Amino acid sequence: MSTPYHQLVANLARLIHEAKTYPLGGFAPLPPPAPAPNAPKALIFSPHPDDEVIIGGLALRLLRESGWRIINVAVTQGSNKARQAARWEELKQCCAHIGFELLQTAPHGLEKINPRTRAQDPRHWQQCVAVIVQILQREQPRVIFFPHDADWNSTHIGVHHLVVDALRSLPAFTCEIVETEYWAPMASPNLMVEISPTDLGDLIAALTFHVGEVQRNPYHLSLPAWMMDNVRRGGEVVGGQGGAAPPFTFATLYRVRTWRESQWQPRWEGGRFLSLAEKPHLLFGA
């Protein structure tokens, strides 16, 4: 028996198989954005090179639709020392392609950013916290992105605590916080952001500049499916159990809160959907 759904699945399987032959990296840079010098800044604190575009849908929309400056902070360059220099070069090409600015935390990135180091090596941990403090003080971002505290991967969890510890050492610092997810879903995201096919295609193309990583595991090809599943899940966990899902095809989920007076504060009550018809900067009251 054959139904239209069998054809749908067959076509999807064929396209994914075909996409394994597509080139990795080497694409011409996208038309460069031109934010004003005084444009609001958003910092992405990336645990590894590649996280900046995997979770970067909202950041890309802020860049393209609202004229913000998006600065990727490469917290680490991976734990494989033999690959750190190559991963930095891949990251530079990725960010140049997508239009994100780039900051390096140390010549080879920060090392041992995980909960175990935080608990057992406080001296090293505080040195790393000081690096993040300097970046926050210098850049004065309006918004910062970093993983939620249960994102499974030890470095993702480490980066969460690293940035929060830096914020806690700056009692007068205020910004909007956008927590991200990839390895493990958040229990309580409060924002689902629609991603256009064009933006998703650009994010995937940028992701392929991380050649050494996607050759090992072609996770760039599963990004559309992940974003489709975000719509399924977000329709309920963001919109409310039993609610109608919005007519999005692709989306990314986030948790948005305000950091003020050294503590988390709610940005809004309940959950929100951001469609392609809405300007992303309005999420932050600007």
Side-chain angles (χ1 to χ4, degrees):
M1 179 179 181
S2 180
T3 72
Y5 299 103
H6 292 86
Q7 190 65 31
L8 169 66
V9 174
N11 286 337
L12 287 172
R14 175 182 56 79
L15 286 170
I16 294 300
H17 181 75
E18 177 185 302
K20 291 179 180 178
T21 69
Y22 294 172
L24 301 177
F27 304 110
L30 296 166
N38 62 344
K41 296 178 185 178
L43 302 186
I44 303 173
F45 287 95
S46 295
H48 304 97
D50 70 10
D51 288 308
E52 71 288 339
V53 284
I54 289 174
I55 58 81
L58 175 57
L60 186 61
R61 288 192 58 183
L62 286 168
L63 174 71
R64 291 178 167 179
E65 300 171 34
S66 299
W68 284 35
R69 291 177 60 190
I70 307 300
I71 304 172
N72 179 46
V73 181
V75 178
T76 86
Q77 291 169 212
S79 58
N80 183 349
K81 293 185 179 297
R83 281 273 298 142
Q84 286 175 343
R87 292 195 75 174
W88 175 248
E89 292 303 316
E90 292 169 354
L91 179 59
K92 288 196 295 185
Q93 294 175 43
C94 170
C95 288
H97 178 77
I98 202 69
F100 294 170
E101 299 172 53
L102 179 59
L103 288 177
Q104 191 174 32
T105 51
H108 298 286
L110 300 180
E111 303 279 0
K112 300 187 293 183
I113 303 302
N114 55 60
R116 182 176 179 178
T117 301
R118 185 173 184 249
Q120 299 182 3
D121 191 351
R123 180 179 179 183
H124 173 78
W125 186 260
Q126 287 305 314
Q127 290 173 342
C128 295
V129 167
V131 172
I132 304 305
V133 166
Q134 290 175 355
I135 291 171
L136 290 170
Q137 289 178 318
R138 183 178 70 244
E139 300 298 334
Q140 293 294 308
R142 179 72 181 278
V143 173
I144 58 177
F145 293 77
F146 58 86
H148 71 104
D149 63 352
D151 203 21
W152 185 77
N153 181 281
S154 62
T155 304
H156 283 230
I157 296 170
V159 167
H160 174 93
H161 291 295
L162 183 75
V163 177
V164 172
D165 285 351
L167 289 168
R168 285 181 174 141
S169 70
L170 295 168
F173 196 86
T174 297
C175 68
E176 306 297 340
I177 288 175
V178 181
E179 290 174 277
T180 65
E181 63 175 30
Y182 182 62
W183 288 108
M186 284 181 277
S188 56
N190 66 357
L191 175 65
M192 179 160 65
V193 176
E194 185 177 14
I195 307 300
S196 72
T198 296
D199 283 355
L200 177 53
D202 289 340
L203 290 167
I204 294 171
L207 185 54
T208 69
F209 282 86
H210 297 284
V211 176
E213 301 308 300
V214 299
Q215 283 179 331
R216 174 181 59 84
N217 181 349
Y219 50 86
H220 61 298
L221 300 181
S222 64
L223 207 61
W226 177 65
M227 289 201 180
M228 293 172 74
D229 191 58
N230 288 338
V231 176
R232 173 199 64 81
R233 187 165 62 90
E236 301 263 342
V237 299
V238 175
Q241 186 171 330
F248 300 171
T249 302
F250 306 113
T252 306
L253 301 182
Y254 303 97
R255 182 165 57 211
V256 180
R257 292 183 282 181
T258 298
W259 184 269
R260 184 182 294 118
E261 298 177 355
S262 298
Q263 62 184 344
W264 308 95
Q265 297 185 8
R267 187 68 182 90
W268 52 70
E269 295 298 324
R272 294 186 62 172
F273 299 147
L274 180 77
S275 74
L276 294 175
E278 301 168 279
K279 293 296 185 183
H281 66 275
L282 297 178
L283 292 169
F284 309 108

